[in-house]
Amino acid sequence: VHAALAGYVAAARRHAPQDRRLSGAPTAMVLNGAYLVETAGVGGFAALVRELADRHPEIRLELTGPWPPYSFVAEGPAEPVQTVREPAW
């Protein structure tokens, strides 16, 4: 499922599955994916999710969003701390 979805989008990330106590789902989460979809491709992506759900009735696929693209921001090296002092006049 992840490979099919990732092949359709600009970027994809797999996150750790959420605990059922957080998600409220009755079953364990096996995939927690984030997919960066171009605006023009949203309808096709949703159709692909429905197709995959039909192809794999043993799993529940849930599509949510849109979400801010924070999942795709790379963490850079920390910048040094700068101490700013007021003039002592």
Side-chain angles (χ1 to χ4, degrees):
V1 169
H2 176 71
L5 295 173
Y8 189 89
V9 299
R13 297 282 188 273
R14 290 180 71 166
H15 299 290
Q18 289 185 342
D19 188 291
R20 286 188 289 185
R21 293 171 291 184
L22 295 175
S23 69
T27 57
M29 179 183 285
V30 295
L31 172 65
N32 182 6
Y35 304 93
L36 188 61
V37 183
E38 293 183 25
T39 303
V42 170
F45 184 75
L48 178 58
V49 171
R50 288 190 300 273
E51 177 188 323
L52 291 167
D54 290 343
R55 196 180 319 162
H56 300 285
E58 68 280 7
I59 60 174
R60 178 177 61 93
L61 292 177
E62 182 177 356
L63 175 62
T64 64
W67 293 90
Y70 52 79
S71 293
F72 305 96
V73 176
E75 285 190 37
E79 293 187 25
V81 175
Q82 294 181 347
T83 303
V84 178
R85 297 183 188 182
E86 293 293 324
W89 317 329

